[in-house]
Amino acid sequence: MTANPWVVFAIASAAVFLVSVDATIAVAAFPALRPSFSQTSPATLSWVLKDYTILYAALLGPAGRLVDQHGAKRLFLFGGTLFTLASAACGLAPGTSALIAARPVQAVGGAVLTPASLALILGAFPANKRSAIVGLWSVAGALGAAVGLGAGSILIELASWRAAFLVNLPIGALILWFAARRLPAHIAGHD
C-alpha cells in the first residue's frame, strides 16, 4: 500500500502533538494532585513530573535507533499503545506509588512514538520537501506543548487531575486506529 504523504503527516503530527500536550498538561495538573495525595510530600510527588521528563529526554536517541532497526510503523504502534495504556494507568492510579510508577512507562511510550513519527514523515515525502515537513511537524509539537497548559487547567477545573491523563485515551486510540489502517507497512528508507 502506498499511503498519501499528507495522511502519514497528519497521523504522525497528531502523535507528536499528543505527546507534547501530555508533557505540559501534567504540569497544569500538578497543583491539583496535592489534595488527592496529601500524605505524600511535595518532593516525592514531584517525581510525577521529573520521571517523565528525564526518561523521555534520555530515551529519544536510543528510541530513534530502535525505529531505524525495527521499522517506523511497528515502533509507532508500539509506542502509541504503551503511551495510551500508561496514560490510563496514570489516570486510574489509586495512589502516589502507582502514579509515579506509571509515568516512566508513559515516557518510554512517548520517547518511542516521537522518533517513529518523525521517521514516518521523512519516509513519506521526497527529499526536497523534508525540511518544510519537519518544520510543520515541529510546529505540531510546539502547539501541543502550548495547548497542554490551558487545556489541562480547563480539564482539571471541570473534572479532576485524572482527566489530564485520561484525555489521552480516546485521542491515543484514534491515532492508533488510523495508524494501523492508513500507514503502509514499509516507509521508504525507514522500514
Side-chain angles (χ1 to χ4, degrees):
M1 163 173 79
T2 302
N4 177 324
W6 290 107
V7 170
V8 173
F9 175 79
I11 293 167
S13 294
V16 79
F17 178 87
L18 179 63
V19 170
S20 296
V21 163
D22 185 75
T24 56
I25 206 169
V27 172
F30 188 74
L33 292 173
R34 190 78 186 111
S36 295
F37 301 111
S38 58
Q39 317 266 315
T40 305
S41 74
T44 300
L45 202 53
S46 73
W47 282 104
V48 170
L49 300 177
K50 291 187 278 190
D51 272 353
Y52 183 92
T53 305
I54 293 167
L55 196 54
Y56 175 80
L59 292 178
L60 281 172
R65 193 156 198 20
L66 286 173
V67 168
D68 288 343
Q69 293 171 344
H70 299 286
K73 181 178 179 178
R74 180 180 300 137
L75 272 290
F76 184 92
L77 292 171
F78 170 77
T81 300
L82 189 61
F83 181 86
T84 303
L85 292 175
S87 295
C90 289
L92 300 173
T96 312
S97 296
L99 180 58
I100 291 172
R103 283 292 278 170
V105 178
Q106 194 182 29
V108 171
V112 171
L113 194 54
T114 300
S117 69
L118 179 57
L120 287 168
I121 64 167
L122 288 174
F125 286 88
N128 65 338
K129 295 190 184 213
R130 287 182 183 156
S131 25
I133 294 305
V134 170
L136 290 173
W137 174 83
S138 298
V139 167
L143 184 60
V147 167
L149 287 172
S153 299
I154 292 167
L155 279 172
I156 293 154
E157 187 70 31
L158 294 175
S160 77
W161 66 266
R162 294 181 187 280
F165 298 105
L166 296 176
V167 71
N168 294 341
L169 301 182
I171 299 167
L174 193 60
I175 291 168
L176 289 167
W177 186 84
F178 276 107
R181 282 155 185 75
R182 301 298 304 269
L183 295 177
H186 299 285
I187 299 286
H190 293 282
D191 283 355

